[in-house]
Amino acid sequence: MSLNKNMRVMIVDDYNTMLRILRNLLRQLDFNNVEEATDGEEALAILKRNPADLIISDWNMTPMTGLDLLRHVRADAQLRRTPFIMVTAESKTENVIAAKQAGVSNYIVKPFNAETLRAKIGSVFGGQ
Amino acid sequence: MNAAIIVPDGGTQRAGQTLRIDDAHIYLDRLIRELHALGSEKKQPLVSVLEYVSFHIRMTREEIATLKPGGASAFSSTADELEEIVNETARAANEIMGAAECVEAVAMGTDPKTREALQAAATRIYEASAFQDITGQRITKVVRALQHIESRVDALTRACGDAIAASNGGTAPSRDEALLNGPQLARNAATQSEIDSLFDVVDPTS
Protein backbone atom coordinates (compact mmCIF):
# COMPACT_ATOMS: atom_id res chain seq x y z
CA MET A 1 0.00 0.00 0.00
CA SER A 2 1.47 3.37 -0.97
CA LEU A 3 1.52 6.44 1.25
CA ASN A 4 -1.42 8.81 0.80
CA LYS A 5 0.28 11.93 -0.55
CA ASN A 6 -2.95 13.92 -0.19
CA MET A 7 -2.80 13.62 3.60
CA ARG A 8 -3.10 16.85 5.54
CA VAL A 9 0.24 17.78 7.13
CA MET A 10 0.56 20.36 9.90
CA ILE A 11 4.04 21.92 10.18
CA VAL A 12 4.89 23.98 13.28
CA ASP A 13 7.96 26.17 13.74
CA ASP A 14 8.59 29.68 15.05
CA TYR A 15 11.14 30.34 12.29
CA ASN A 16 9.48 31.21 8.99
CA THR A 17 12.63 30.04 7.23
CA MET A 18 12.16 26.54 8.60
CA LEU A 19 8.47 26.51 7.69
CA ARG A 20 9.44 27.39 4.13
CA ILE A 21 12.14 24.70 4.06
CA LEU A 22 9.69 22.08 5.32
CA ARG A 23 6.98 23.16 2.90
CA ASN A 24 9.40 22.98 -0.04
CA LEU A 25 10.82 19.61 0.95
CA LEU A 26 7.32 18.23 1.49
CA ARG A 27 6.26 19.54 -1.91
CA GLN A 28 9.23 17.76 -3.47
CA LEU A 29 7.97 14.60 -1.76
CA ASP A 30 4.54 15.29 -3.32
CA PHE A 31 2.88 16.37 -0.07
CA ASN A 32 1.01 19.50 -1.08
CA ASN A 33 -1.74 19.63 1.53
CA VAL A 34 0.29 21.48 4.15
CA GLU A 35 -0.89 23.79 6.95
CA GLU A 36 1.47 26.02 8.98
CA ALA A 37 1.56 27.33 12.56
CA THR A 38 4.26 29.28 14.40
CA ASP A 39 3.83 27.75 17.88
CA GLY A 40 2.03 24.96 19.67
CA GLU A 41 -0.90 27.08 20.77
CA GLU A 42 -1.72 28.21 17.26
CA ALA A 43 -1.25 24.67 15.94
CA LEU A 44 -3.53 23.18 18.58
CA ALA A 45 -6.29 25.68 17.82
CA ILE A 46 -6.11 24.80 14.11
CA LEU A 47 -5.92 21.07 14.80
CA LYS A 48 -9.01 21.14 17.02
CA ARG A 49 -10.96 22.79 14.20
CA ASN A 50 -9.46 20.70 11.46
CA PRO A 51 -7.37 17.64 12.47
CA ALA A 52 -4.28 16.74 10.45
CA ASP A 53 -3.05 13.33 9.32
CA LEU A 54 0.54 14.15 10.33
CA ILE A 55 2.11 16.76 12.61
CA ILE A 56 5.73 17.85 12.11
CA SER A 57 6.77 20.21 14.89
CA ASP A 58 9.73 22.10 16.27
CA TRP A 59 10.33 21.85 20.02
CA ASN A 60 11.61 25.24 21.18
CA MET A 61 8.76 27.70 20.64
CA THR A 62 6.77 30.16 22.74
CA PRO A 63 4.23 30.35 24.23
CA MET A 64 3.58 26.63 23.71
CA THR A 65 6.53 24.34 23.01
CA GLY A 66 6.44 21.38 20.68
CA LEU A 67 6.59 19.05 23.67
CA ASP A 68 3.51 20.66 25.21
CA LEU A 69 1.76 20.49 21.86
CA LEU A 70 2.58 16.80 21.71
CA ARG A 71 1.17 16.25 25.21
CA HIS A 72 -2.01 18.13 24.32
CA VAL A 73 -2.40 16.13 21.13
CA ARG A 74 -1.93 12.84 22.94
CA ALA A 75 -4.43 13.88 25.62
CA ASP A 76 -7.09 14.86 23.08
CA ALA A 77 -9.53 12.08 22.20
CA GLN A 78 -9.90 13.35 18.65
CA LEU A 79 -6.19 13.95 17.94
CA ARG A 80 -4.43 11.35 20.06
CA ARG A 81 -3.63 8.93 17.22
CA THR A 82 -2.12 11.57 14.92
CA PRO A 83 1.47 10.72 13.98
CA PHE A 84 3.77 13.37 15.44
CA ILE A 85 7.36 13.97 14.27
CA MET A 86 9.54 16.29 16.34
CA VAL A 87 12.03 18.27 14.22
CA THR A 88 14.38 20.06 16.55
CA ALA A 89 17.90 21.21 17.40
CA GLU A 90 17.36 19.81 20.91
CA SER A 91 19.45 16.71 20.57
CA LYS A 92 20.32 15.66 24.11
CA THR A 93 19.43 12.21 25.28
CA GLU A 94 17.01 13.58 27.85
CA ASN A 95 15.15 15.44 25.12
CA VAL A 96 14.60 12.32 23.11
CA ILE A 97 13.54 10.45 26.22
CA ALA A 98 11.06 13.15 27.20
CA ALA A 99 9.62 13.23 23.69
CA LYS A 100 9.30 9.48 23.61
CA GLN A 101 7.62 9.49 27.00
CA ALA A 102 5.17 12.06 25.71
CA GLY A 103 4.33 9.83 22.77
CA VAL A 104 6.32 11.22 19.85
CA SER A 105 6.21 9.07 16.69
CA ASN A 106 9.66 10.01 15.45
CA TYR A 107 12.41 12.57 16.01
CA ILE A 108 14.48 14.51 13.51
CA VAL A 109 17.49 16.58 14.58
CA LYS A 110 18.21 19.85 12.81
CA PRO A 111 19.85 20.37 10.45
CA PHE A 112 18.33 17.54 8.47
CA ASN A 113 18.07 16.57 4.83
CA ALA A 114 15.23 15.64 2.53
CA GLU A 115 16.02 11.94 2.67
CA THR A 116 15.76 11.92 6.47
CA LEU A 117 12.40 13.65 6.30
CA ARG A 118 11.15 11.18 3.68
CA ALA A 119 12.41 8.21 5.68
CA LYS A 120 10.83 9.38 8.96
CA ILE A 121 7.47 10.06 7.36
CA GLY A 122 7.59 6.61 5.79
CA SER A 123 8.57 5.13 9.14
CA VAL A 124 5.68 6.59 11.13
CA PHE A 125 3.26 5.25 8.54
CA GLY A 126 4.60 1.74 8.91
CA GLY A 127 7.48 1.80 6.45
CA GLN A 128 5.33 2.81 3.51
CA MET B 1 13.29 35.22 59.21
CA ASN B 2 15.64 38.11 58.39
CA ALA B 3 17.73 39.39 61.26
CA ALA B 4 17.85 43.16 61.65
CA ILE B 5 20.93 45.09 62.76
CA ILE B 6 21.14 48.66 63.97
CA VAL B 7 23.12 50.85 61.58
CA PRO B 8 25.06 53.95 62.71
CA ASP B 9 22.42 56.47 61.68
CA GLY B 10 19.85 54.70 63.86
CA GLY B 11 18.06 52.91 61.04
CA THR B 12 17.94 49.16 60.51
CA GLN B 13 19.41 46.91 57.85
CA ARG B 14 17.80 43.52 57.23
CA ALA B 15 19.83 40.49 56.23
CA GLY B 16 19.40 39.88 52.53
CA GLN B 17 18.62 43.55 51.84
CA THR B 18 21.03 45.17 49.37
CA LEU B 19 23.50 47.43 51.20
CA ARG B 20 24.68 50.24 48.96
CA ILE B 21 28.45 50.37 48.77
CA ASP B 22 28.30 54.12 49.39
CA ASP B 23 26.46 53.45 52.66
CA ALA B 24 28.91 50.74 53.72
CA HIS B 25 31.72 53.16 53.08
CA ILE B 26 30.10 55.85 55.19
CA TYR B 27 29.64 53.45 58.11
CA LEU B 28 33.23 52.25 57.83
CA ASP B 29 34.67 55.77 57.74
CA ARG B 30 32.59 56.72 60.77
CA LEU B 31 33.87 53.67 62.64
CA ILE B 32 37.47 54.61 61.84
CA ARG B 33 36.91 58.17 63.08
CA GLU B 34 35.35 56.90 66.31
CA LEU B 35 38.20 54.47 66.89
CA HIS B 36 40.70 57.31 66.41
CA ALA B 37 38.80 59.32 69.03
CA LEU B 38 39.16 56.55 71.61
CA GLY B 39 42.84 57.32 72.03
CA SER B 40 43.94 53.82 72.99
CA GLU B 41 47.18 52.39 71.62
CA LYS B 42 45.50 49.01 71.14
CA LYS B 43 43.14 50.44 68.57
CA GLN B 44 45.88 50.95 65.91
CA PRO B 45 45.91 47.41 64.41
CA LEU B 46 42.12 47.51 64.15
CA VAL B 47 42.18 50.94 62.51
CA SER B 48 44.77 49.70 60.01
CA VAL B 49 42.58 46.76 59.06
CA LEU B 50 39.53 48.97 58.65
CA GLU B 51 41.48 51.47 56.55
CA TYR B 52 42.64 48.60 54.37
CA VAL B 53 39.03 47.39 53.93
CA SER B 54 37.90 50.94 53.23
CA PHE B 55 40.57 51.34 50.55
CA HIS B 56 39.44 48.13 48.85
CA ILE B 57 35.81 49.16 48.91
CA ARG B 58 36.80 52.37 47.10
CA MET B 59 38.81 50.39 44.55
CA THR B 60 35.99 47.90 44.00
CA ARG B 61 33.51 50.70 43.51
CA GLU B 62 35.73 52.29 40.87
CA GLU B 63 36.20 48.97 39.09
CA ILE B 64 32.46 48.34 39.02
CA ALA B 65 32.01 51.82 37.63
CA THR B 66 33.99 50.79 34.56
CA LEU B 67 31.85 47.70 33.92
CA LYS B 68 29.43 49.60 31.70
CA PRO B 69 31.66 51.93 29.73
CA GLY B 70 29.04 52.34 27.02
CA GLY B 71 26.38 53.42 29.48
CA ALA B 72 23.18 51.59 30.34
CA SER B 73 22.32 50.91 26.71
CA ALA B 74 25.55 49.04 25.84
CA PHE B 75 24.17 45.55 26.53
CA SER B 76 20.77 46.10 25.00
CA SER B 77 22.44 47.64 21.95
CA THR B 78 24.59 44.52 21.56
CA ALA B 79 21.50 42.33 21.90
CA ASP B 80 19.77 44.41 19.22
CA GLU B 81 22.75 43.93 16.90
CA LEU B 82 22.63 40.16 17.41
CA GLU B 83 18.89 40.05 16.81
CA GLU B 84 19.46 41.98 13.62
CA ILE B 85 21.85 39.23 12.48
CA VAL B 86 19.00 36.76 12.91
CA ASN B 87 16.70 39.00 10.86
CA GLU B 88 19.30 39.56 8.15
CA THR B 89 20.09 35.86 7.77
CA ALA B 90 16.34 35.11 7.63
CA ARG B 91 15.94 37.61 4.82
CA ALA B 92 18.94 36.13 2.98
CA ALA B 93 17.71 32.55 3.45
CA ASN B 94 14.29 33.49 2.11
CA GLU B 95 15.83 35.18 -0.93
CA ILE B 96 17.96 32.11 -1.61
CA MET B 97 14.95 29.81 -1.27
CA GLY B 98 12.89 32.09 -3.50
CA ALA B 99 15.56 31.71 -6.17
CA ALA B 100 15.59 27.93 -5.69
CA GLU B 101 11.81 27.84 -6.09
CA CYS B 102 12.20 29.74 -9.40
CA VAL B 103 14.80 27.21 -10.54
CA GLU B 104 12.40 24.38 -9.70
CA ALA B 105 9.58 26.06 -11.63
CA VAL B 106 11.82 26.48 -14.68
CA ALA B 107 13.00 22.87 -14.30
CA MET B 108 9.46 21.65 -14.89
CA GLY B 109 9.77 22.74 -18.53
CA THR B 110 13.03 20.93 -19.20
CA ASP B 111 13.89 17.37 -20.19
CA PRO B 112 13.75 14.71 -17.40
CA LYS B 113 17.51 14.51 -16.88
CA THR B 114 17.90 18.28 -16.56
CA ARG B 115 14.78 18.52 -14.38
CA GLU B 116 16.12 15.89 -12.01
CA ALA B 117 19.47 17.62 -11.71
CA LEU B 118 17.90 21.02 -11.06
CA GLN B 119 15.48 19.62 -8.48
CA ALA B 120 18.35 17.89 -6.68
CA ALA B 121 20.21 21.20 -6.58
CA ALA B 122 17.12 22.95 -5.22
CA THR B 123 16.81 20.28 -2.52
CA ARG B 124 20.38 20.93 -1.44
CA ILE B 125 19.63 24.65 -1.24
CA TYR B 126 16.56 24.02 0.95
CA GLU B 127 18.55 21.74 3.21
CA ALA B 128 21.41 24.23 3.52
CA SER B 129 18.98 27.05 4.34
CA ALA B 130 18.41 25.40 7.71
CA PHE B 131 21.57 27.21 8.83
CA GLN B 132 19.38 30.22 9.56
CA ASP B 133 17.26 28.30 12.04
CA ILE B 134 20.28 26.84 13.80
CA THR B 135 22.30 30.05 13.98
CA GLY B 136 19.17 31.93 14.99
CA GLN B 137 18.63 29.66 17.96
CA ARG B 138 22.27 29.95 19.01
CA ILE B 139 22.22 33.74 18.80
CA THR B 140 18.98 33.84 20.78
CA LYS B 141 20.75 31.92 23.56
CA VAL B 142 23.60 34.45 23.52
CA VAL B 143 21.09 37.32 23.70
CA ARG B 144 19.44 35.74 26.76
CA ALA B 145 22.87 35.33 28.41
CA LEU B 146 23.66 38.99 27.70
CA GLN B 147 20.34 40.06 29.22
CA HIS B 148 21.15 38.02 32.33
CA ILE B 149 24.60 39.64 32.63
CA GLU B 150 23.03 43.05 32.10
CA SER B 151 20.62 42.50 34.99
CA ARG B 152 23.49 41.45 37.28
CA VAL B 153 25.62 44.47 36.31
CA ASP B 154 22.60 46.73 36.85
CA ALA B 155 22.23 45.31 40.36
CA LEU B 156 25.92 45.99 41.04
CA THR B 157 25.75 49.55 39.73
CA ARG B 158 22.66 50.24 41.84
CA ALA B 159 24.58 48.97 44.88
CA CYS B 160 27.43 51.34 44.05
CA GLY B 161 25.18 54.37 44.06
CA ASP B 162 25.72 57.73 42.49
CA ALA B 163 29.45 57.34 41.93
CA ILE B 164 28.64 55.08 38.99
CA ALA B 165 26.39 57.61 37.33
CA ALA B 166 29.17 60.20 37.46
CA SER B 167 31.73 57.91 35.86
CA ASN B 168 29.49 55.94 33.51
CA GLY B 169 30.28 57.90 30.41
CA GLY B 170 33.73 56.34 30.12
CA THR B 171 36.20 57.78 27.67
CA ALA B 172 34.42 59.74 24.99
CA PRO B 173 35.08 58.36 21.52
CA SER B 174 37.01 60.48 19.11
CA ARG B 175 35.03 62.35 16.47
CA ASP B 176 35.90 59.74 13.82
CA GLU B 177 35.18 56.79 16.13
CA ALA B 178 31.78 58.25 16.90
CA LEU B 179 30.98 57.95 13.20
CA LEU B 180 31.49 54.18 13.23
CA ASN B 181 27.95 52.96 13.94
CA GLY B 182 27.18 50.77 10.94
CA PRO B 183 25.52 48.67 9.88
CA GLN B 184 22.42 50.35 11.22
CA LEU B 185 19.56 48.38 12.68
CA ALA B 186 16.78 48.12 10.13
CA ARG B 187 14.42 50.32 12.12
CA ASN B 188 17.01 53.11 12.28
CA ALA B 189 18.48 52.79 8.81
CA ALA B 190 17.89 55.41 6.15
CA THR B 191 16.78 54.25 2.72
CA GLN B 192 18.92 54.97 -0.33
CA SER B 193 16.43 57.59 -1.50
CA GLU B 194 16.64 59.31 1.92
CA ILE B 195 20.42 59.28 1.65
CA ASP B 196 20.22 60.66 -1.88
CA SER B 197 17.92 63.46 -0.75
CA LEU B 198 20.21 64.31 2.14
CA PHE B 199 23.29 64.18 -0.06
CA ASP B 200 21.77 66.71 -2.42
CA VAL B 201 21.09 69.29 0.29
CA VAL B 202 24.21 68.95 2.44
CA ASP B 203 26.66 71.82 1.97
CA PRO B 204 30.18 70.36 2.22
CA THR B 205 31.66 73.73 3.19
CA SER B 206 29.37 74.38 6.14
Side-chain angles (χ1 to χ4, degrees):
Chain A
M1 191 177 82
S2 64
L3 200 56
N4 172 21
K5 296 295 180 76
N6 290 320
M7 72 166 75
R8 189 162 177 275
V9 183
M10 163 66 75
I11 54 175
V12 194
D13 203 298
D14 54 347
Y15 276 78
N16 285 324
T17 310
M18 185 50 66
L19 287 174
R20 193 168 179 178
I21 291 168
L22 281 168
R23 182 180 279 279
N24 277 317
L25 293 178
L26 287 167
R27 179 175 47 73
Q28 289 189 331
L29 296 172
D30 293 328
F31 294 97
N32 290 301
N33 188 6
V34 178
E35 180 97 31
E36 295 178 1
T38 54
D39 83 289
E41 208 166 83
E42 184 189 359
L44 193 61
I46 295 170
L47 289 165
K48 285 189 171 179
R49 285 198 309 271
N50 194 3
D53 301 300
L54 170 65
I55 300 166
I56 300 174
S57 177
D58 182 30
W59 182 317
N60 189 356
M61 300 175 290
T62 56
M64 186 189 286
T65 67
L67 187 65
D68 283 338
L69 171 64
L70 171 61
R71 288 173 177 146
H72 276 90
V73 165
R74 291 292 178 252
D76 186 295
Q78 187 187 14
L79 304 173
R80 63 186 308 159
R81 295 187 186 283
T82 312
F84 193 116
I85 299 176
M86 195 75 84
V87 181
T88 176
E90 309 294 344
S91 55
K92 289 187 176 174
T93 307
E94 52 261 41
N95 290 99
V96 180
I97 291 169
K100 283 282 281 182
Q101 287 173 340
V104 79
S105 309
N106 220 311
Y107 198 101
I108 297 175
V109 177
K110 296 175 180 174
F112 60 95
N113 60 33
E115 175 52 30
T116 302
L117 182 63
R118 189 199 63 73
K120 299 300 182 190
I121 292 173
S123 173
V124 299
F125 286 99
Q128 297 165 65
Chain B
M1 188 184 75
N2 285 340
I5 57 168
I6 305 299
V7 295
D9 59 3
T12 58
Q13 177 79 33
R14 294 216 164 266
Q17 186 178 336
T18 302
L19 176 67
R20 287 163 55 94
I21 287 181
D22 282 349
D23 294 339
H25 206 264
I26 289 166
Y27 301 150
L28 202 54
D29 285 346
R30 189 180 298 178
L31 184 58
I32 292 168
R33 282 198 304 273
E34 287 174 4
L35 277 170
H36 272 301
L38 285 176
S40 164
E41 288 181 8
K42 290 181 180 175
K43 73 184 183 195
Q44 194 49 49
L46 186 55
V47 168
S48 296
V49 168
L50 289 174
E51 283 175 345
Y52 178 79
V53 172
S54 177
F55 168 77
H56 276 278
I57 288 178
R58 282 185 208 279
M59 293 301 293
T60 302
R61 197 173 68 163
E62 286 171 17
E63 284 172 13
I64 292 171
T66 65
L67 277 176
K68 298 179 78 173
S73 65
F75 285 102
S76 53
S77 167
T78 304
D80 284 348
E81 296 280 355
L82 289 170
E83 282 175 2
E84 193 63 11
I85 290 173
V86 177
N87 295 335
E88 288 289 348
T89 54
R91 274 192 286 277
N94 276 309
E95 278 293 313
I96 292 165
M97 279 194 284
E101 287 161 12
C102 284
V103 168
E104 272 200 289
V106 171
M108 297 308 287
T110 62
D111 63 89
K113 194 176 174 185
T114 306
R115 182 165 63 236
E116 192 178 327
L118 290 174
Q119 282 184 328
T123 302
R124 286 166 57 198
I125 291 171
Y126 298 142
E127 290 169 355
S129 298
F131 83 90
Q132 196 276 325
D133 177 274
I134 303 295
T135 55
Q137 289 190 52
R138 290 195 193 288
I139 290 172
T140 300
K141 286 168 80 173
V142 173
V143 168
R144 285 192 192 130
L146 269 177
Q147 287 166 341
H148 177 70
I149 293 167
E150 182 182 18
S151 70
R152 307 301 294 176
V153 171
D154 279 345
L156 268 175
T157 50
R158 278 196 302 276
C160 284
D162 298 335
I164 299 297
S167 63
N168 222 353
T171 307
S174 73
R175 193 174 170 186
D176 282 356
E177 284 173 340
L179 294 172
L180 300 174
N181 297 307
Q184 294 287 293
L185 297 176
R187 64 173 179 268
N188 299 330
T191 64
Q192 185 57 51
S193 62
E194 287 170 335
I195 295 293
D196 291 343
S197 299
L198 182 65
F199 192 82
D200 287 340
V201 297
V202 167
D203 179 1
T205 60
S206 64

